[in-house]
């Protein structure tokens, strides 16, 4: 009987023994996962700046070069198209694309960007950065080529409206590039150089803007004899300028499609510490775990319910409000001026009457000069100072100086032009400089750093989309108001309105955090990110 009791007692204790062993095993596995996660993130944050970081910047940056080329080439293409499709118009309308058509052709890309930024931003959080990276570039390549072959339809759609459709879809691809490229660069970057890396990607916009003008000059020069003999030959010119925008995109496409998933997404969403460790080893050369061990991992995808519960807290929502409003305010002025730079060039006497070839050549050259004086230096001063001065500091400086400059330019527009065209050019190029050594760059960088990994791309997409809403408001408002009281008579008042938006941006900069020198996990409050 005692033996039976002992056997029964042993049976009763066996499950307890297994439960303890199972609990210990789970604890040890959790400890290993935590250690691997810590080591992987430390390897990324503290890595020496190397070849992979340069490659990541180049792959993302070439996309932004293409984006800006496509966005700003339309300024010159629209001017050229006026000489082709309105060559026989009467009076002042001759050789000029009508204002409303010009507005919609230029605004189409911005409208598409809103959809692309929000949509791709969400998909990059839901599906992963790698799975959609490159899709946006394919859209850009196809639509750039499609737009360059735009023509009349048999049932009445003009070349402008066919171009509008192509450029609207193009905008979806360009919009998608904003959150995905920013987030991939941010999540692969070291803490020390993260600001410079993201800023360098964004600075490629400056090269794209200048490249569009240089290509225009080269193509115009190749067609000089033909255009002087028949201005309708300009129909080839604008198509070639636009179509050449696919070249850098084709170069970058393979590298985008083959870039690995960011370890942070693999860790925090896919919950696969083993694969994240392997990716860190492959890209940075740091071995942080035994990669031969295979485990089954269950991904924990972000949901809108989770998004709501995170941002229902004001301390989290205020950051999103700050990034969206500051980007909106900046883009009202940035696109209001830069998509209509030909008007400024006319005001300073750098574009005027003459043969189509001379007018277009002078306009393209003027764009190059303005961008080399103000835009390009602004971008690269930011690259070299942002990790020293900080994002918030540069944004405060930029909005403050722009507020002052737009007030001077707006209220003293005619007086300055009458007394000193050179003085006007100096003030205008200073404004271009402080847009880029200022909020145009920082509004792109801060949303790529300030949010949890699970929502980072969505929040960047929302912020960028709000910026493009500002661009659309500027574009529609600019064209509706600029001719009040006469041709371009309302430009001074528009610049005054831009000054008001700079004040709005300055106020809402208080809502965004300083991200300099902090890891992405510190900024998103680590485990408290999912409330």
């Amino acid at each position: 009987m005692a033996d039976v009791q002992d056997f029964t007692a042993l049976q009763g204790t066996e499950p307890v023994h297994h439960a303890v062993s199972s609990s210990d095993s789970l604890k040890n596995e959790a400890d290993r996962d935590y250690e691997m996660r810590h080591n992987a993130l430390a390897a990324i944050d503290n890595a020496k700046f190397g070849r992979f970081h340069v490659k990541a910047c180049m792959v993302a940056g070439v996309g932004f070069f293409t984006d800006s080329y496509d966005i700003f080439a339309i300024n010159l293409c629209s001017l050229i198209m006026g000489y082709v499709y309105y060559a026989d118009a009467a009076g002042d309308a001759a050789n000029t694309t009508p204002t409303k058509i010009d507005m919609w052709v230029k605004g189409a890309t911005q409208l598409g960007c809103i959809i692309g930024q929000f949509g791709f931003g969400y998909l990059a959080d839901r599906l992963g950065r790698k799975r959609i990276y490159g899709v946006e570039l394919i859209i850009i390549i196809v639509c750039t080529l499609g737009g360059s072959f735009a023509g009349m339809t048999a049932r009445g759609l003009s070349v402008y409206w066919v171009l509008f459709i192509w450029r609207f879809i193009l905008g979806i691809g360009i919009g998608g590039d904003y959150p995905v490229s920013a987030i991939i660069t941010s999540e692969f970057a070291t803490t020390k150089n993260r600001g410079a890396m993201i800023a360098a990607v964004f600075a490629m916009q400056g090269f794209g803007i200048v490249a569009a003008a240089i290509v225009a000059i080269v193509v115009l020069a190749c067609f000089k004899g033909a255009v002087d003999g028949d201005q309708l030959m300009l129909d080839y010119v604008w198509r070639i300028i636009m179509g050449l925008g696919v070249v850098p995109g084709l170069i970058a496409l393979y590298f985008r499609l083959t870039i690995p998933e960011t370890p942070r997404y693999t860790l925090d969403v896919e919950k696969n510490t083993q694969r994240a460790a392997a990716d860190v080893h492959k890209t940075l050369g740091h071995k942080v775990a035994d990669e031969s061990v295979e485990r089954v991992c269950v991904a924990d995808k972000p949901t809108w319910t989770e998004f709501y519960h995170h941002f229902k807290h004001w301390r989290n929502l205020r950051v999103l409000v700050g990034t969206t409003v500051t980007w909106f305010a900046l883009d009202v002025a940035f696109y209001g001026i830069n998509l209509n730079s030909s008007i400024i060039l006319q005001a300073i006497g750098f574009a005027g009457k003459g043969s189509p070839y001379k007018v277009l050549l002078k306009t393209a050259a003027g764009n190059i000069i303005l961008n080399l004086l103000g835009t390009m230096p602004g971008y690269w001063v930011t690259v070299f100072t942002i990790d020293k001065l900080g994002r918030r500091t540069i944004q405060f400086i930029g909005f403050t100086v722009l507020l002052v400059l737009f007030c001077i330019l707006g209220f003293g527009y005619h007086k300055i032009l009458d007394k000193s065209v050179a003085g006007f050019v100096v003030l205008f190029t200073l404004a271009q400089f402080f847009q880029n050594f200022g909020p145009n760059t920082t509004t792109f960088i801060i949303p790529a750093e300030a949010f949890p990994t699970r929502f980072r791309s969505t929040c960047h997409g929302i912020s960028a989309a709000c910026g493009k809403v500002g661009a659309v408001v500027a574009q529609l408002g600019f064209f509706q108001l600029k001719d009040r009281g006469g041709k371009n008579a309302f430009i001074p008042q528009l610049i005054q309105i831009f000054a008001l938006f700079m004040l709005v941006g300055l106020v809402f900069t208080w809502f965004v955090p300083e991200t300099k020198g902090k890891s992405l996990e510190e900024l998103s409050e680590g485990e408290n990110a999912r409330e």
Side-chain angles (χ1 to χ4, degrees), residues 164-308:
F164 172 88
I165 294 168
W166 279 114
R167 289 193 65 81
F168 175 78
I169 304 171
L170 170 72
I172 295 175
I174 291 175
D177 201 17
Y178 274 68
V180 187
S181 286
I183 299 310
I184 284 178
T185 307
S186 174
E187 291 180 352
F188 273 121
T190 67
T191 300
K192 180 181 178 182
N193 299 311
R194 189 176 61 236
M197 284 181 64
I198 305 173
V201 169
F202 196 64
M204 293 300 289
Q205 280 196 333
F207 288 114
I209 296 169
V210 173
I214 291 173
V215 168
I217 289 174
V218 172
V219 176
L220 278 167
C222 292
F223 278 80
K224 182 181 185 303
V227 170
D228 286 341
D230 179 8
Q231 75 178 50
L232 295 184
M233 294 297 290
L234 286 167
D235 195 38
Y236 293 100
V237 173
W238 76 262
R239 294 176 189 277
I240 293 171
I241 294 170
M242 189 176 291
L244 286 173
V246 305
V247 175
L250 288 170
I251 294 171
L253 182 58
Y254 168 77
F255 297 100
R256 287 201 172 190
L257 293 174
T258 56
I259 199 167
E261 182 58 86
T262 69
R264 281 186 162 91
Y265 185 86
T266 306
L267 287 169
D268 293 342
V269 179
E270 295 183 344
K271 304 299 182 184
N272 192 334
T273 52
Q274 201 70 39
R275 200 182 86 193
D279 286 342
V280 170
H281 185 201
K282 180 180 177 182
T283 55
L284 300 177
H286 291 269
K287 189 168 184 177
V288 296
D290 180 4
E291 297 163 20
S292 64
V293 180
E294 293 188 6
R295 293 179 49 209
V296 177
C297 303
V298 179
D300 183 16
K301 302 290 186 179
T303 65
W304 286 113
T305 301
E306 189 181 354
F307 184 91
Y308 165 76

Side-chain angles (χ1 to χ4, degrees), residues 386-421:
I386 193 162
D387 286 313
K388 297 181 179 67
L389 297 178
R391 291 69 156 148
R392 205 161 174 249
T393 300
I394 291 175
Q395 188 158 304
F396 271 125
I397 292 170
F399 273 129
T400 302
V401 176
L402 288 170
L403 172 62
V404 174
L405 288 172
F406 284 146
C407 283
I408 294 171
L409 287 169
F411 289 101
Y413 186 85
H414 293 295
K415 290 180 180 179
I416 297 169
L417 278 175
D418 291 342
K419 289 186 177 181
S420 174
V421 171

